[in-house]
Amino acid sequence: MSELNEFLEPGMLVRNPACPDWGLGQVQSNINGRITVNFEECGKVVLNGARVQLEIVFET
């Protein structure tokens, strides 16, 4: 898993830079490298943390 994704916790806001049209997402869970995120425009998505580098959003 990428170094940043290891620290993602439920409730954190993120963006997927590879898919900016998904909008802002809220982390639902991060278990064994499988990160579930609920995105504004895409809905709930399960991502492989070793393949996707999410960006933490500190301000909206």
Side-chain angles (χ1 to χ4, degrees):
M1 186 174 357
S2 73
E3 211 171 292
L4 176 63
N5 289 337
E6 290 178 37
F7 299 103
L8 293 177
E9 296 180 358
M12 295 179 87
L13 299 177
V14 296
R15 291 191 190 277
N16 183 347
C19 301
D21 56 317
W22 289 4
L24 189 63
Q26 184 179 42
V27 176
Q28 304 297 300
S29 66
N30 184 359
I31 301 169
N32 296 326
R34 292 174 49 101
I35 305 163
T36 303
V37 182
N38 191 14
F39 287 98
E40 293 174 322
E41 304 298 328
C42 186
K44 193 173 285 191
V45 178
V46 178
L47 302 165
N48 180 340
R51 298 181 147 243
V52 176
Q53 180 69 48
L54 297 172
E55 295 178 345
I56 297 174
V57 176
F58 294 102
E59 295 181 21
T60 57

